[in-house]
Amino acid sequence: MSVVLDLIGSLVVAAAVILFGLRLNSNISDHLQASVATLNVQEGLVDAVRSIEVDFRKIGYGVVDPKTAITISEPGRICFKADIDRNGTIDDVSWFLVQSPTAGGDTAKYLYRQVNSTSPLLVVTDVREFSLRYLKEDGTPADTTVKSQIWIVETTMRVKSPYKVADQVKGNEVMSEVEGFWRQTRLASRNLKRHG
Amino acid sequence: MGKASIIYVVGLGVLLIYYVFAISDTSTRSMTNSMEYHTRTMAHNAAVAGANIGTHKVLMGADSTLTFSSSFGGVPFNVAIDSVGATRVVTAVSSAPYEGKLGYGIIRDTVIATLQRIVLSRYAYFSGQEANGYMSPTSNSTSGGSMWKVTGDSMFGYAHTNTRWNLGGRPYFDSKVTAFNPPNTMLYGGVYDPIFNGGTQWGITVNRPQANLTRLESIASASSPPALVTGEDVALTFIADGTVQVKIPALTGTIRDETVPISSITSNGIIAVKGGDIRVKGTYAGQVTLTALSGASPQKGNIWIDGDIRAATNPRGNPSSNDMLGLVAERMAYVTTKDPVTGTLYPRNASSVLTIQAAIYAHNGVFGVEDYDSVPVSGRIDLFGGVTMNASTSTGKISGGVLSNGFLKSIRHDPRFLTAAPPGYPVSDKFLLVSWWEN
């Protein structure tokens, strides 16, 4: 009888240990998945941000009259002139958002960069937010119909992972996308300021 | 059971080790990513700081070739200032050590600033001071009263004064406005709200060296044949085919009265008169600068605009037009209102338009209208180019809100003058930042 009791007891303990191990495995796996997703979002965001910074700092470079450098100034789209590759020719550069073709009901979009009439280059996918605010020299909002008022571009970008992961509890959802957020509040090209 | 437990424990251990390594790796990569961005930003900021210091040195007068090194935020940078003709190029290079995904390395950043001497034709409106500097043809005294820009006044192109603006109501400035001091302000119609679409900057002084005039005299003298006339007034009537009627003296032509190609009287584009005035009108083709110098005669050195002055290829509709005219007066640039021989008033009325397509420079005086406060209403001056003056003035007299004498005026800057200028046009001894390259 005692042998049977020993077997039953050891089975219970073994089952508990196995379940504990499986749960540990599952938790660590989820955490790893979330970490990788976070890293991917971060790397994508940093690459996109670097491209934006490099481009926006050149707004108006080589343009004779800097107040004509920005040609389109919309909340989700900017077009400007600059000799972006220092070859003596003024280029037309655009940054804009396009609805993701595979997003379905998702709010994510694609961020594109286009130089002159070349094909738009996909910079980053799964963009939740790409918003531009145009400011005057004193930091107050510029009248975007008067391009010469624009001295500063405040850029905000929010990027998400393409899939949901655990460890990202939001409200009642036990799984959600990882998000990365970046805002450059005072990104200004000296070429816009230099005139006068 | 014993073996199974061992296998289970070992298997679980192996999985845990894998997870720990994997999580550690993602954390490291994430940190590396962050560090790389931080290092890149620091390197960029250091390069910008170096370029700022170098630019400041050039703007403050240290315009010779120079190199120096320093650091910003712990990141070292080297700056080189190079002279390329009248251009100064400031190159700042920073280098920040970094250990990232690909191992140890240096992140470098470069900022290049280009500065050029300020050519005064780049201004739509430039005044040494915002006071009335009108001088009559027979006296060098001025009233010196304050000149105000008020509601209804507008400027298209860069505007500068070396003192301070006097602003009331809602004057409109389309491009950047600069001055040495912040403006005097006045409620006009109960409002003070000037519109600065291109922003403002105070603390700016732009010198106009007298040496510009002696340089122009030298260039005219060096022309083949020499294009420097001394002690006589000269009248030039330009013709659209590239010729010009030359009359010396201006009113009689007894010394010279002929029509010749512009190129046959100046080989370098400068025509100068010393101790005399220049009277000018017509349609010019090519690039010419007319210079009137006072010499030993204090009331000489004037430019008289006797009628419309137009470019053969209209730059207003054709920015690629090669026709440019500079009018440089050591004393005054007048719009003529009376026939210089008979003294009778030119027949003008409220709807008359006097067209001038030129860059006008008055070193000691202003661009004004002969007897502006006593001649009848004469219409409007339509200046497409720019004006640089020692002071300000009015081209007409306003009574009760309407023009009672003289002209209204409209000044529109010729955008070609942002990168080009009539031959030998006056420059400042100061530099201007013309481009700023950041990686």
Side-chain angles (χ1 to χ4, degrees):
Chain A
M1 185 62 186
S2 64
V3 172
V4 174
L5 284 174
D6 283 349
L7 281 172
I8 292 171
S10 61
L11 276 173
V12 170
V13 171
V17 170
I18 289 170
L19 285 173
F20 170 75
L22 290 173
R23 182 65 189 268
L24 180 67
N25 180 37
S26 170
N27 283 348
I28 294 179
S29 174
D30 288 347
H31 184 63
L32 175 62
Q33 215 177 27
S35 296
V36 170
T38 304
L39 178 66
N40 289 340
V41 166
Q42 187 202 37
E43 286 184 337
L45 185 61
V46 168
D47 284 344
V49 162
R50 193 182 303 155
S51 301
I52 289 172
E53 286 181 339
V54 165
D55 263 15
F56 282 21
R57 284 176 186 143
K58 294 184 178 69
I59 295 175
Y61 178 75
V63 177
V64 171
D65 187 357
K67 69 175 186 288
T68 64
I70 295 178
T71 51
I72 295 177
S73 51
E74 296 170 359
R77 177 187 179 91
I78 183 169
C79 299
F80 59 85
K81 293 180 181 297
D83 180 5
I84 209 84
D85 42 13
R86 290 192 80 199
N87 64 354
T89 304
I90 304 300
D91 303 296
D92 290 301
V93 183
S94 304
W95 284 81
F96 54 93
L97 273 183
V98 171
Q99 181 66 46
S100 162
T102 58
D106 199 349
T107 55
K109 296 179 178 177
Y110 287 179
L111 179 63
Y112 283 93
R113 171 183 186 263
Q114 184 175 24
V115 178
N116 298 322
S117 55
T118 57
S119 297
L121 183 71
L122 178 61
V123 177
V124 63
T125 59
D126 302 300
V127 179
R128 272 258 160 82
E129 180 185 2
F130 175 72
S131 61
L132 301 161
R133 286 181 70 219
Y134 303 92
L135 309 173
K136 291 198 275 194
E137 59 174 325
D138 59 1
T140 57
D143 177 355
T144 53
T145 61
V146 184
K147 304 291 188 272
S148 60
Q149 286 188 1
I150 301 171
W151 281 41
I152 301 163
V153 182
E154 182 187 279
T155 311
T156 304
M157 189 155 67
R158 189 189 302 273
V159 178
K160 71 175 186 64
S161 61
Y163 49 85
K164 294 182 177 180
V165 295
D167 276 16
Q168 295 292 318
V169 178
K170 278 187 181 173
N172 294 327
E173 294 186 34
V174 294
M175 293 181 72
S176 182
E177 295 95 350
V178 175
E179 283 192 351
F181 178 81
W182 172 78
R183 172 173 287 165
Q184 177 69 271
T185 55
R186 291 291 179 269
L187 187 55
S189 167
R190 186 71 63 90
N191 294 296
L192 289 178
K193 294 181 177 182
R194 67 174 157 80
H195 49 318
Chain B
M1 186 68 189
K3 284 183 181 176
S5 298
I6 290 170
I7 292 169
Y8 169 74
V9 169
V10 170
L12 190 61
V14 169
L15 273 176
L16 284 174
I17 289 169
Y18 165 73
Y19 285 139
V20 166
F21 272 108
I23 289 172
S24 172
D25 180 57
T26 53
S27 299
T28 305
R29 284 171 61 194
S30 181
M31 188 65 195
T32 304
N33 216 18
S34 175
M35 274 179 54
E36 182 187 340
Y37 181 74
H38 173 74
T39 310
R40 202 174 287 280
T41 303
M42 291 299 290
H44 182 75
N45 288 344
V48 169
N52 275 330
I53 296 169
T55 301
H56 188 71
K57 283 179 183 288
V58 175
L59 293 176
M60 291 296 107
D63 62 347
S64 57
T65 301
L66 184 70
T67 58
F68 63 92
S69 302
S70 188
S71 67
F72 179 78
V75 178
F77 60 78
N78 299 308
V79 180
I81 301 173
D82 297 310
S83 300
V84 184
T87 301
R88 302 290 177 269
V89 179
V90 178
T91 306
V93 180
S94 66
S95 50
Y98 153 77
E99 187 159 3
K101 283 176 272 192
L102 301 177
Y104 180 81
I106 300 282
I107 290 182
R108 290 189 173 82
D109 204 309
T110 305
V111 175
I112 302 170
T114 306
L115 301 100
Q116 288 176 345
R117 289 205 187 276
I118 299 173
V119 182
L120 294 164
S121 62
R122 76 185 307 277
Y123 294 100
Y125 178 93
F126 179 112
S127 71
Q129 57 180 323
E130 282 299 283
N132 193 342
Y134 178 84
M135 295 184 277
S136 75
T138 54
S139 168
N140 281 358
S141 64
T142 64
S143 74
S146 295
M147 301 301 297
W148 289 78
K149 305 289 181 283
V150 297
T151 305
D153 290 331
S154 58
M155 289 194 191
F156 292 84
Y158 297 129
H160 174 82
T161 181
N162 270 338
T163 53
R164 65 175 70 216
W165 295 97
N166 301 311
L167 304 176
R170 280 174 64 86
Y172 177 89
F173 297 90
D174 189 60
S175 295
K176 188 175 179 181
V177 177
T178 52
F180 183 69
N181 290 309
N184 284 324
T185 63
M186 174 179 71
L187 287 176
Y188 185 81
V191 174
Y192 175 72
D193 187 20
I195 299 168
F196 299 113
N197 274 347
T200 60
Q201 189 171 356
W202 316 132
I204 305 289
T205 303
V206 179
N207 302 325
R208 298 175 302 122
Q210 178 82 21
N212 280 304
L213 302 180
T214 49
R215 178 174 54 85
L216 282 164
E217 181 185 346
S218 299
I219 298 172
S221 187
S223 165
S224 177
L228 175 65
V229 177
T230 304
E232 296 286 351
D233 293 348
V234 175
L236 299 168
T237 302
F238 288 102
I239 301 164
D241 61 4
T243 59
V244 59
Q245 181 191 15
V246 185
K247 288 177 77 172
I248 306 174
L251 304 183
T252 60
T254 52
I255 297 175
R256 184 176 183 182
D257 187 354
E258 59 179 340
T259 299
V260 293
I262 296 172
S263 57
S264 72
I265 54 173
T266 173
S267 59
N268 51 32
I270 313 288
I271 300 171
V273 171
K274 188 173 185 179
D277 291 349
I278 297 177
R279 310 195 77 94
V280 59
K281 63 182 177 183
T283 301
Y284 59 91
Q287 300 188 1
V288 190
T289 294
L290 310 181
T291 306
L293 305 168
S294 300
S297 308
Q299 267 93 54
K300 288 295 185 181
N302 305 298
I303 299 266
W304 292 84
I305 298 168
D306 286 346
D308 288 342
I309 299 176
R310 299 173 189 271
T313 304
N314 188 352
R316 198 187 279 265
N318 184 357
S320 60
S321 168
N322 285 319
D323 303 329
M324 289 186 185
L325 179 65
L327 302 176
V328 178
E330 183 167 359
R331 189 172 179 271
M332 290 283 294
Y334 290 108
V335 169
T336 313
T337 56
K338 301 170 190 164
D339 186 300
V341 177
T342 64
T344 55
L345 287 167
Y346 284 156
R348 291 183 174 123
N349 54 47
S351 57
S352 298
V353 176
L354 177 72
T355 299
I356 305 171
Q357 295 177 340
I360 301 174
Y361 179 92
H363 190 77
N364 295 322
V366 297
F367 165 57
V369 172
E370 178 187 16
D371 298 333
Y372 72 94
D373 55 355
S374 60
V375 295
V377 171
S378 303
R380 180 171 60 90
I381 297 169
D382 179 16
L383 172 61
F384 187 72
V387 59
T388 300
M389 312 181 281
N390 184 47
S392 182
T393 192
S394 176
T395 53
K397 188 174 171 185
I398 305 289
S399 295
V402 295
L403 185 71
S404 61
N405 302 89
F407 290 83
L408 299 170
K409 69 172 178 289
S410 158
I411 301 176
R412 295 270 175 163
H413 190 245
D414 184 340
R416 298 177 305 158
F417 292 155
L418 292 173
T419 53
Y425 201 78
V427 297
S428 176
D429 57 1
K430 293 214 167 185
F431 284 91
L432 177 79
L433 181 66
V434 294
S435 75
W436 181 272
W437 169 267
E438 294 185 35
N439 266 325

